[in-house]
Amino acid sequence: MLILIKFLRDVPAVLGAVIVLSVAALAVVAPLVASPEAVFDGNLLERLQPPSSVHLFGTDNLGRDICARVMVGSRGALLVALSVVVLAVAIGVPAGLYAGYTTSWGSELVMRITDVFLAVPQLILALAIAQLIGKGLESAMVALGLTYWPFFCRTVYAETRRVRSTLFVDALEGIGASRSRILMVHVLPNVASPVIVRATIGMGFTILTTAVLGFLGIGATPPMPDWGLAIAESREYLPDSWWAVTFPGLAILATVLGFNLLGDGLRDLVDPRLRRSR
Amino acid sequence: MQRRLFLVGSLAAATASHMGGFRMARAQGRPGELVWADNLPGGLDPHVIFDVPMQFYMLNIYDQLYKYEGNPPELKPWLASGHTVSPDGRTWTFNLRDAKFHDGSPVTAEDVVYSFRRMLATKRGPSAAFLPVLPPEKVKAVDAKTVQFELDYAYQPFLSAMPLVCIMNPRLLKANEKDGDWGQPWLASNAAGSGPYMLDAASYKPAEALDMKRYESHFMGWTHNPRPIDIVRCRDIQETTTRVNALLRGDIDATDSYLPTDQVERVLRAKNVRVIKDETMRVMVIRMNNKKPPFDNVNFRRAMSHAFNYRGFISGVLKDYAVRNAGPIPQNLWGAPKDLKPYEYNLDLAREELAQAKAQGAPIDREIEIHIQQQLAQTTQAAQVLQQDLRKLNVNLKIAPNLWPNLVSSTAKPETTPDMWVHWVSTYFVDPENWIGQMYDSQFHGTWKASSWYKNAKVDQLLREARSSSDQAKRQALYEEASRIVVADAADIWIYNTVQIRGISARVEGYKFSPVGSGAEFRYMSLAS
Amino acid sequence: MGRFILRRMLFVVPSLLGLLVLTFVMLRVLPNDPSAALAGENATPAQIAAVRTAYGFDQPIWKQFAVYLKQVVHADLGTSIVTGRPVVADIALRLPATIELTFCALLFASAMGIPIGTLAAVWHNSVFDHAMRIVTVGGLAIAAFWFAIILQLVFSMSLDWLPLRGRISVGMPEPAPVTRLLLVDSLLAGRLGVFRDALLHLVMPALTLSLGGLASIARFTRAGVLDTLQKDFVGYAEAAGYRRSRIIWVYVLRNSVVAATTQIGLLFGALISSAVAVESIFDWPGIGSYAVKAILTSDYKAILAVTLVVGVIYAIVNIVVDIVHALLDPRVAESL
């Protein structure tokens, strides 16, 4: 209860939560509001029309309704972000737990591999994977997941090391508790909060990076109503047709802002160093 | 108006017009200097690289034996004063004019022989047009001013391909040669030509900047242009918006010649700049892999041809800056039948053809993949236009972004060639051979131009006859007949012939367009003061 | 300490080797190879095969890698298959531009982020604190190319204060290349006109790029200052009658900026790879736009080289950050 009150006092974090919830709600209702025709079928003779009562956000370069596309785009954005984060957590957390808990050469190897992945420019890895398994959102997701797990691994590693060196774990081992039990019951809860914080910020970060990948033609493929792709496709029509870039841009801005503010707020709640200072 | 709204909305604090003192120095107004913002070629060796940006570079820095001028392009003797050809069409003899390389040494027949052998030895760039017919040892200097070529068989487009080969200064190249590499690494950032402009090698930064200086002793002289431009600065600008902004600000004198139609109005509204429009010879085509079902079915291919909204695309997206092209040969070139009826956009006809294809067992339900070139927005737009209508026909079209080098290598085999892909066939040399010849003669299977894997014995025979005949009227008739067959077979979807649009500053005078080089020939230009 | 640095450096070698293997394998296990594109227009399958042999693309991949590795050890990153120039030469031309841009972006970000973070900590949980958090995170979240184009339209097209694109005005003679950092070279050559020109060209790209770093610098400064404000010496200083502004801007900031400094170091690597979009729009001739070109032309030697160079920069920055850390906190050095 206390923690909730504390959270509610944090205005930006609440704002972030509101934004995230709205985007999620939008993603749920979007297919009910925007028909597939409005999203995919354009009228070429009505292309690049400014915002009006018919087309609230105007039309894009193929005469499609931008409002409908921005709304439906939220589904893709959330789906990508969620998949990437889940993939990264699925790789990073077990790897971090293993490396942090044991002290074998295997642990060292995991951390060296983590270093290697941290040093690869995300963009180039994404490109290489896109070459391998074909261009599209899937390869962008795999690529981002593969570049994002080291962050989780590092976080979990550090936290596990900390818990590992505490007396109570030694004691547990001494009384014969199994390793898996120690990991699951005692270590995992301790690493959960930093992982959740990382994951929340990672959601926003992923949406942003996917947009950059779309800009380079590696991410979403046409005719998907992807925000980043919409900006990349429409930037050629600036400044006359400003709406085609601006509304998807605002959608990205709002969503990323929401996740980041929420993540920051959560971090303040769980980070003991910052907690003290409040 | 919308733009103003945008600016006001974006940043309200834009009210400081008294800050005029900060104004930047401009390119325009620097007398005698032209700033040209077209794409730069990947490297500077015209025997290695041969693409559209290279054409503008080689026209200014180098000379060729023959050269195209005007629109429609006419083949004119250039370094050569003329040529003769033996009755069997195999021995070609060229006489040279007096010309000097940039270092002052004369251009001799030996230099021409060296240049052709070098071009053949690189096995890259323009060499593909010559390797099948011209063995290196069959290029000979008869005397200091006469060069002779002996072809393996009669090949009429030989002359049309002459402008592809730059004549180079062997003395410079040999001085910079290592281990028999023909000076290739050196020439990638230097020049060894005799053309109307000289490269300032120190200024060259790949994909960024390149400066040229006028060569006063060029063999054609400068009497045709009383106020030639002394310095040309070429700058590569990546983003379209930046390029147009730079033109409007006066930072540059010309954009590339593929100005998007949506930016044309912006340029037209502005002062001190104008838009130049020229119909060129560059056909946009959606390729179909005729070897892969259901594209092996002619009815299916016709259904596809009827399902593309040509008018919507040309009028709506391109604002009529393009001309509908019925077949593979640009409609403004000889060999394209004047009465050839283009496929019309008609979904009912498409449905009928589709039903027939289905009745014949064509797998019309499978997902089809169309590959686009991701950095070329128009290829995406064309694919999406097709996709919208195919959805109405219940044909599932998937768009796959790709890149030119990958596409080219994927067309080596029918299995790896995409179901469909979008590209243009530009003017490399002005002869129907450049289009229909290399696109639909099955001997070129495995090259990107022949990537529809179309095979028709009759067409093969017509094209081969046209290639070796020296009778112009007969060649025209052969190409027209071949065109009709290919179109009836709906081998590909031919969309339009390009109108090139270039934004150019009003102070540039004497601009002359030609489909080869897209008008970037600086020797004709001058700058109004 | 020396031993620590040495060990830290030795760790880098296997990391870089792993990086090389990873990218090389990924790039070369392509469904296609670049031979066809290299062979040029209308090349026949036989010509393409000849190119394949000439470039060694038909060799087993481990052999190709061995050849490449040998080249890398000799500081030869190969010849670009597109430009025909040595990749090292192209990167040497372009890397300084990116370093200059990134450095200035970090300067901008620090100049804005440290005061914002300090004030946010002093007035924590105030309206200012909340507003600044939204603004700085908003800067991170804004699509860089959108913001860049707006900057161009306002400051270049409408107001005409700043140059639109590039690193130096067209036709302005460049100073003799010493460091290839234009700001430094122009000062060394004593050419203030060039310095001013280069500086003006830097403003918009650096500002756009700095947005990516602003949020985290402000955040870490805020955390650091908050932490320090709890320390006993602050109370003593206040009791001793020092002015509060002096305490905060001199003593507290000096003690708390350390956390932010490491963050700034780490940002350097991150910003280099996010420079791609910014460089494209402003025609900044750095390795970001070089990488895009290489990607678009499948110039794999160039892509490998960029990966390697960025990887090395990451590694160097990480070492420096670790050493700084170790100097400040000797326990770190022992734990390694």
Side-chain angles (χ1 to χ4, degrees), chain A residues 163-213:
Chain A
V163 178
R164 176 78 181 78
S165 60
T166 51
L167 266 177
F168 85 92
V169 173
D170 283 344
L172 283 169
E173 277 188 340
I175 60 171
S178 77
R179 176 176 291 183
S180 58
R181 189 184 155 77
I182 297 175
L183 278 177
M184 284 301 141
V185 178
H186 301 283
V187 180
L188 205 55
N190 274 298
V191 302
S193 33
V195 166
I196 290 170
V197 170
R198 256 263 171 237
T200 313
I201 294 174
M203 292 281 288
F205 179 73
T206 306
I207 291 172
L208 201 63
T209 321
T210 321
V212 176
L213 288 182

Short mmCIF file of all heavy atoms in Angstrom, two decimals, chain A residues 163-213:
data_model
loop_
_atom_site.label_atom_id
_atom_site.label_comp_id
_atom_site.label_asym_id
_atom_site.label_seq_id
_atom_site.Cartn_x
_atom_site.Cartn_y
_atom_site.Cartn_z
N VAL A 163 24.01 -11.45 -4.11
CA VAL A 163 23.26 -12.35 -3.23
C VAL A 163 24.11 -13.57 -2.88
O VAL A 163 24.12 -14.05 -1.74
CB VAL A 163 21.95 -12.78 -3.92
CG1 VAL A 163 21.18 -13.75 -3.04
CG2 VAL A 163 21.10 -11.58 -4.25
N ARG A 164 24.84 -14.05 -3.88
CA ARG A 164 25.66 -15.24 -3.71
C ARG A 164 26.67 -15.07 -2.57
O ARG A 164 26.96 -15.99 -1.82
CB ARG A 164 26.40 -15.51 -5.02
CG ARG A 164 27.38 -16.65 -5.04
CD ARG A 164 26.64 -17.98 -5.17
NE ARG A 164 27.56 -19.09 -5.17
CZ ARG A 164 28.13 -19.58 -4.07
NH1 ARG A 164 27.90 -19.03 -2.88
NH2 ARG A 164 28.95 -20.62 -4.16
N SER A 165 27.19 -13.86 -2.46
CA SER A 165 28.26 -13.63 -1.48
C SER A 165 27.71 -13.37 -0.09
O SER A 165 28.47 -13.17 0.85
CB SER A 165 29.12 -12.45 -1.94
OG SER A 165 28.32 -11.30 -2.03
N THR A 166 26.38 -13.34 0.03
CA THR A 166 25.84 -13.07 1.36
C THR A 166 25.90 -14.35 2.20
O THR A 166 25.95 -15.46 1.68
CB THR A 166 24.38 -12.60 1.28
OG1 THR A 166 23.66 -13.53 0.47
CG2 THR A 166 24.27 -11.22 0.68
N LEU A 167 25.84 -14.14 3.47
CA LEU A 167 25.98 -15.26 4.40
C LEU A 167 24.85 -16.26 4.29
O LEU A 167 25.06 -17.46 4.37
CB LEU A 167 26.03 -14.71 5.83
CG LEU A 167 27.44 -14.47 6.39
CD1 LEU A 167 27.34 -13.87 7.77
CD2 LEU A 167 28.24 -15.76 6.38
N PHE A 168 23.63 -15.74 4.03
CA PHE A 168 22.51 -16.66 4.13
C PHE A 168 22.53 -17.72 3.04
O PHE A 168 22.08 -18.84 3.23
CB PHE A 168 21.17 -15.89 4.19
CG PHE A 168 20.56 -15.50 2.88
CD1 PHE A 168 19.64 -16.35 2.26
CD2 PHE A 168 20.88 -14.29 2.26
CE1 PHE A 168 19.06 -15.97 1.07
CE2 PHE A 168 20.30 -13.94 1.06
CZ PHE A 168 19.39 -14.77 0.47
N VAL A 169 23.14 -17.38 1.89
CA VAL A 169 23.24 -18.39 0.85
C VAL A 169 24.24 -19.48 1.26
O VAL A 169 23.99 -20.67 1.09
CB VAL A 169 23.64 -17.76 -0.50
CG1 VAL A 169 23.90 -18.84 -1.53
CG2 VAL A 169 22.55 -16.82 -0.98
N ASP A 170 25.34 -19.04 1.86
CA ASP A 170 26.30 -20.02 2.37
C ASP A 170 25.63 -20.95 3.37
O ASP A 170 25.81 -22.16 3.35
CB ASP A 170 27.46 -19.30 3.07
CG ASP A 170 28.43 -18.72 2.06
OD1 ASP A 170 28.34 -19.14 0.87
OD2 ASP A 170 29.24 -17.85 2.42
N ALA A 171 24.82 -20.32 4.18
CA ALA A 171 24.13 -21.10 5.21
C ALA A 171 23.19 -22.11 4.57
O ALA A 171 23.14 -23.28 4.95
CB ALA A 171 23.35 -20.16 6.13
N LEU A 172 22.44 -21.64 3.57
CA LEU A 172 21.50 -22.53 2.88
C LEU A 172 22.24 -23.71 2.27
O LEU A 172 21.81 -24.85 2.36
CB LEU A 172 20.75 -21.77 1.78
CG LEU A 172 19.63 -20.86 2.26
CD1 LEU A 172 19.15 -19.98 1.13
CD2 LEU A 172 18.48 -21.68 2.82
N GLU A 173 23.38 -23.39 1.61
CA GLU A 173 24.16 -24.48 1.00
C GLU A 173 24.64 -25.44 2.07
O GLU A 173 24.65 -26.64 1.89
CB GLU A 173 25.34 -23.91 0.21
CG GLU A 173 24.93 -23.48 -1.19
CD GLU A 173 26.13 -23.10 -2.04
OE1 GLU A 173 27.20 -22.81 -1.48
OE2 GLU A 173 25.96 -23.09 -3.27
N GLY A 174 25.01 -24.84 3.19
CA GLY A 174 25.50 -25.64 4.30
C GLY A 174 24.46 -26.62 4.80
O GLY A 174 24.78 -27.77 5.12
N ILE A 175 23.18 -26.20 4.85
CA ILE A 175 22.16 -27.11 5.34
C ILE A 175 21.62 -27.99 4.22
O ILE A 175 20.63 -28.69 4.38
CB ILE A 175 21.00 -26.38 6.06
CG1 ILE A 175 20.32 -25.41 5.08
CG2 ILE A 175 21.50 -25.66 7.31
CD1 ILE A 175 19.04 -24.81 5.61
N GLY A 176 22.25 -27.90 3.02
CA GLY A 176 21.94 -28.85 1.96
C GLY A 176 20.79 -28.48 1.05
O GLY A 176 20.21 -29.34 0.40
N ALA A 177 20.46 -27.20 0.99
CA ALA A 177 19.42 -26.80 0.04
C ALA A 177 19.94 -26.99 -1.39
O ALA A 177 21.12 -26.75 -1.65
CB ALA A 177 19.04 -25.34 0.26
N SER A 178 19.09 -27.43 -2.28
CA SER A 178 19.55 -27.68 -3.65
C SER A 178 19.81 -26.34 -4.34
O SER A 178 19.23 -25.32 -4.00
CB SER A 178 18.50 -28.47 -4.43
OG SER A 178 17.46 -27.62 -4.83
N ARG A 179 20.69 -26.40 -5.32
CA ARG A 179 21.07 -25.17 -6.01
C ARG A 179 19.85 -24.53 -6.71
O ARG A 179 19.65 -23.34 -6.65
CB ARG A 179 22.16 -25.49 -7.03
CG ARG A 179 22.54 -24.28 -7.87
CD ARG A 179 23.67 -24.57 -8.78
NE ARG A 179 24.93 -24.78 -8.05
CZ ARG A 179 26.07 -25.00 -8.67
NH1 ARG A 179 26.12 -25.08 -9.97
NH2 ARG A 179 27.17 -25.18 -7.99
N SER A 180 19.05 -25.38 -7.36
CA SER A 180 17.90 -24.83 -8.09
C SER A 180 16.94 -24.16 -7.12
O SER A 180 16.36 -23.12 -7.41
CB SER A 180 17.20 -25.93 -8.89
OG SER A 180 16.78 -26.96 -8.04
N ARG A 181 16.82 -24.73 -5.93
CA ARG A 181 15.92 -24.14 -4.95
C ARG A 181 16.45 -22.77 -4.50
O ARG A 181 15.70 -21.79 -4.42
CB ARG A 181 15.77 -25.07 -3.75
CG ARG A 181 14.68 -24.61 -2.80
CD ARG A 181 14.59 -25.45 -1.55
NE ARG A 181 14.00 -24.67 -0.47
CZ ARG A 181 12.70 -24.41 -0.38
NH1 ARG A 181 11.86 -24.90 -1.27
NH2 ARG A 181 12.22 -23.68 0.60
N ILE A 182 17.74 -22.72 -4.27
CA ILE A 182 18.32 -21.44 -3.86
C ILE A 182 18.10 -20.39 -4.94
O ILE A 182 17.68 -19.27 -4.67
CB ILE A 182 19.83 -21.60 -3.58
CG1 ILE A 182 20.04 -22.56 -2.41
CG2 ILE A 182 20.46 -20.25 -3.27
CD1 ILE A 182 21.50 -22.86 -2.15
N LEU A 183 18.34 -20.81 -6.18
CA LEU A 183 18.20 -19.87 -7.29
C LEU A 183 16.75 -19.38 -7.39
O LEU A 183 16.49 -18.19 -7.52
CB LEU A 183 18.62 -20.52 -8.60
CG LEU A 183 20.12 -20.55 -8.89
CD1 LEU A 183 20.39 -21.29 -10.19
CD2 LEU A 183 20.67 -19.14 -8.96
N MET A 184 15.82 -20.32 -7.38
CA MET A 184 14.43 -19.98 -7.63
C MET A 184 13.83 -19.18 -6.47
O MET A 184 13.15 -18.18 -6.67
CB MET A 184 13.59 -21.26 -7.83
CG MET A 184 13.80 -21.91 -9.18
SD MET A 184 13.36 -20.78 -10.50
CE MET A 184 14.62 -21.16 -11.67
N VAL A 185 14.09 -19.66 -5.26
CA VAL A 185 13.38 -19.09 -4.11
C VAL A 185 14.10 -17.87 -3.54
O VAL A 185 13.47 -16.91 -3.12
CB VAL A 185 13.19 -20.16 -3.02
CG1 VAL A 185 12.50 -19.56 -1.80
CG2 VAL A 185 12.39 -21.32 -3.57
N HIS A 186 15.42 -17.88 -3.60
CA HIS A 186 16.13 -16.82 -2.89
C HIS A 186 16.80 -15.80 -3.80
O HIS A 186 16.85 -14.63 -3.46
CB HIS A 186 17.15 -17.43 -1.93
CG HIS A 186 16.53 -18.33 -0.93
ND1 HIS A 186 15.85 -17.87 0.17
CD2 HIS A 186 16.41 -19.69 -0.89
CE1 HIS A 186 15.36 -18.88 0.85
NE2 HIS A 186 15.69 -20.00 0.23
N VAL A 187 17.31 -16.28 -4.94
CA VAL A 187 18.03 -15.33 -5.79
C VAL A 187 17.07 -14.61 -6.74
O VAL A 187 17.09 -13.39 -6.88
CB VAL A 187 19.14 -16.04 -6.59
CG1 VAL A 187 19.88 -15.05 -7.46
CG2 VAL A 187 20.09 -16.75 -5.64
N LEU A 188 16.21 -15.37 -7.40
CA LEU A 188 15.34 -14.80 -8.43
C LEU A 188 14.51 -13.61 -7.91
O LEU A 188 14.45 -12.58 -8.59
CB LEU A 188 14.43 -15.90 -9.01
CG LEU A 188 13.93 -15.64 -10.43
CD1 LEU A 188 15.10 -15.38 -11.37
CD2 LEU A 188 13.12 -16.81 -10.93
N PRO A 189 13.87 -13.73 -6.75
CA PRO A 189 13.09 -12.57 -6.29
C PRO A 189 13.94 -11.33 -6.14
O PRO A 189 13.48 -10.21 -6.36
CB PRO A 189 12.55 -13.04 -4.94
CG PRO A 189 12.56 -14.52 -5.02
CD PRO A 189 13.75 -14.88 -5.85
N ASN A 190 15.20 -11.53 -5.77
CA ASN A 190 16.07 -10.37 -5.61
C ASN A 190 16.41 -9.69 -6.93
O ASN A 190 16.65 -8.50 -6.97
CB ASN A 190 17.36 -10.79 -4.91
CG ASN A 190 17.22 -10.77 -3.42
OD1 ASN A 190 16.98 -9.71 -2.84
ND2 ASN A 190 17.30 -11.93 -2.80
N VAL A 191 16.49 -10.50 -7.99
CA VAL A 191 16.86 -9.88 -9.27
C VAL A 191 15.62 -9.42 -10.03
O VAL A 191 15.74 -8.73 -11.04
CB VAL A 191 17.69 -10.84 -10.15
CG1 VAL A 191 18.94 -11.28 -9.44
CG2 VAL A 191 16.87 -12.02 -10.62
N ALA A 192 14.44 -9.79 -9.54
CA ALA A 192 13.23 -9.50 -10.32
C ALA A 192 13.02 -8.01 -10.54
O ALA A 192 12.77 -7.57 -11.65
CB ALA A 192 12.01 -10.11 -9.64
N SER A 193 13.21 -7.24 -9.46
CA SER A 193 12.86 -5.82 -9.65
C SER A 193 13.77 -5.10 -10.63
O SER A 193 13.26 -4.40 -11.51
CB SER A 193 12.75 -5.09 -8.32
OG SER A 193 13.65 -5.61 -7.38
N PRO A 194 15.09 -5.25 -10.56
CA PRO A 194 15.88 -4.58 -11.61
C PRO A 194 15.53 -5.08 -13.01
O PRO A 194 15.56 -4.30 -13.97
CB PRO A 194 17.33 -4.91 -11.24
CG PRO A 194 17.29 -5.94 -10.19
CD PRO A 194 15.96 -5.86 -9.53
N VAL A 195 15.17 -6.35 -13.12
CA VAL A 195 14.82 -6.87 -14.44
C VAL A 195 13.53 -6.21 -14.95
O VAL A 195 13.43 -5.82 -16.11
CB VAL A 195 14.66 -8.41 -14.40
CG1 VAL A 195 13.97 -8.92 -15.66
CG2 VAL A 195 16.02 -9.06 -14.26
N ILE A 196 12.57 -6.04 -14.04
CA ILE A 196 11.31 -5.41 -14.46
C ILE A 196 11.56 -3.98 -14.89
O ILE A 196 11.05 -3.52 -15.92
CB ILE A 196 10.28 -5.47 -13.32
CG1 ILE A 196 9.83 -6.92 -13.12
CG2 ILE A 196 9.08 -4.57 -13.60
CD1 ILE A 196 9.00 -7.14 -11.89
N VAL A 197 12.38 -3.28 -14.15
CA VAL A 197 12.68 -1.90 -14.51
C VAL A 197 13.35 -1.84 -15.88
O VAL A 197 12.94 -1.09 -16.77
CB VAL A 197 13.60 -1.26 -13.44
CG1 VAL A 197 14.10 0.08 -13.92
CG2 VAL A 197 12.85 -1.12 -12.14
N ARG A 198 14.36 -2.68 -16.07
CA ARG A 198 15.07 -2.73 -17.34
C ARG A 198 14.11 -3.04 -18.48
O ARG A 198 14.19 -2.47 -19.57
CB ARG A 198 16.13 -3.84 -17.29
CG ARG A 198 17.52 -3.34 -17.13
CD ARG A 198 18.21 -3.26 -18.49
NE ARG A 198 19.49 -2.57 -18.33
CZ ARG A 198 19.81 -1.49 -19.01
NH1 ARG A 198 18.98 -0.96 -19.88
NH2 ARG A 198 20.96 -0.93 -18.85
N ALA A 199 13.21 -3.99 -18.21
CA ALA A 199 12.29 -4.43 -19.25
C ALA A 199 11.35 -3.30 -19.65
O ALA A 199 11.07 -3.10 -20.83
CB ALA A 199 11.49 -5.64 -18.77
N THR A 200 10.88 -2.54 -18.66
CA THR A 200 9.97 -1.44 -18.98
C THR A 200 10.66 -0.41 -19.85
O THR A 200 10.13 0.02 -20.88
CB THR A 200 9.48 -0.77 -17.67
OG1 THR A 200 9.09 -1.79 -16.77
CG2 THR A 200 8.33 0.15 -17.94
N ILE A 201 11.86 0.00 -19.43
CA ILE A 201 12.59 0.97 -20.24
C ILE A 201 12.94 0.35 -21.59
O ILE A 201 12.89 1.01 -22.62
CB ILE A 201 13.86 1.43 -19.49
CG1 ILE A 201 13.43 2.20 -18.24
CG2 ILE A 201 14.74 2.28 -20.37
CD1 ILE A 201 14.55 2.59 -17.31
N GLY A 202 13.23 -0.95 -21.56
CA GLY A 202 13.56 -1.64 -22.81
C GLY A 202 12.42 -1.62 -23.81
O GLY A 202 12.65 -1.59 -25.02
N MET A 203 11.18 -1.64 -23.32
CA MET A 203 10.04 -1.57 -24.23
C MET A 203 10.11 -0.29 -25.07
O MET A 203 10.00 -0.32 -26.30
CB MET A 203 8.73 -1.56 -23.44
CG MET A 203 8.39 -2.84 -22.70
SD MET A 203 7.71 -4.12 -23.74
CE MET A 203 6.09 -3.49 -24.09
N GLY A 204 10.31 0.83 -24.38
CA GLY A 204 10.39 2.10 -25.09
C GLY A 204 11.59 2.14 -26.02
O GLY A 204 11.49 2.53 -27.18
N PHE A 205 12.69 1.67 -25.50
CA PHE A 205 13.94 1.66 -26.26
C PHE A 205 13.78 0.84 -27.54
O PHE A 205 14.23 1.23 -28.62
CB PHE A 205 15.00 1.05 -25.34
CG PHE A 205 16.35 0.92 -25.94
CD1 PHE A 205 17.13 2.04 -26.13
CD2 PHE A 205 16.85 -0.32 -26.30
CE1 PHE A 205 18.39 1.92 -26.67
CE2 PHE A 205 18.10 -0.44 -26.86
CZ PHE A 205 18.87 0.69 -27.03
N THR A 206 13.09 -0.30 -27.42
CA THR A 206 12.89 -1.16 -28.58
C THR A 206 12.03 -0.49 -29.63
O THR A 206 12.32 -0.55 -30.83
CB THR A 206 12.23 -2.47 -28.15
OG1 THR A 206 12.99 -3.04 -27.10
CG2 THR A 206 12.13 -3.43 -29.30
N ILE A 207 10.97 0.17 -29.19
CA ILE A 207 10.09 0.85 -30.16
C ILE A 207 10.91 1.88 -30.93
O ILE A 207 10.80 2.01 -32.15
CB ILE A 207 8.91 1.50 -29.42
CG1 ILE A 207 7.99 0.39 -28.88
CG2 ILE A 207 8.14 2.43 -30.34
CD1 ILE A 207 6.89 0.88 -27.99
N LEU A 208 11.77 2.58 -30.21
CA LEU A 208 12.59 3.60 -30.85
C LEU A 208 13.57 2.98 -31.85
O LEU A 208 13.72 3.45 -32.98
CB LEU A 208 13.36 4.36 -29.76
CG LEU A 208 13.87 5.73 -30.13
CD1 LEU A 208 12.71 6.64 -30.44
CD2 LEU A 208 14.68 6.31 -28.98
N THR A 209 14.23 1.91 -31.44
CA THR A 209 15.22 1.28 -32.32
C THR A 209 14.54 0.65 -33.53
O THR A 209 15.07 0.70 -34.64
CB THR A 209 16.02 0.20 -31.58
OG1 THR A 209 16.29 0.68 -30.27
CG2 THR A 209 17.31 -0.09 -32.28
N THR A 210 13.35 0.08 -33.32
CA THR A 210 12.64 -0.48 -34.46
C THR A 210 12.33 0.62 -35.48
O THR A 210 12.38 0.39 -36.69
CB THR A 210 11.32 -1.13 -34.01
OG1 THR A 210 11.53 -1.79 -32.78
CG2 THR A 210 10.82 -2.11 -35.03
N ALA A 211 12.03 1.80 -34.97
CA ALA A 211 11.76 2.91 -35.89
C ALA A 211 12.99 3.24 -36.72
O ALA A 211 12.90 3.46 -37.92
CB ALA A 211 11.29 4.13 -35.11
N VAL A 212 14.16 3.23 -36.06
CA VAL A 212 15.40 3.51 -36.81
C VAL A 212 15.65 2.40 -37.84
O VAL A 212 16.05 2.66 -38.97
CB VAL A 212 16.60 3.66 -35.86
CG1 VAL A 212 17.87 3.85 -36.66
CG2 VAL A 212 16.38 4.83 -34.94
N LEU A 213 15.38 1.16 -37.44
CA LEU A 213 15.57 0.06 -38.39
C LEU A 213 14.62 0.22 -39.57
O LEU A 213 14.99 -0.02 -40.72
CB LEU A 213 15.33 -1.29 -37.70
CG LEU A 213 16.40 -1.72 -36.71
CD1 LEU A 213 16.07 -3.09 -36.15
CD2 LEU A 213 17.76 -1.77 -37.39
#
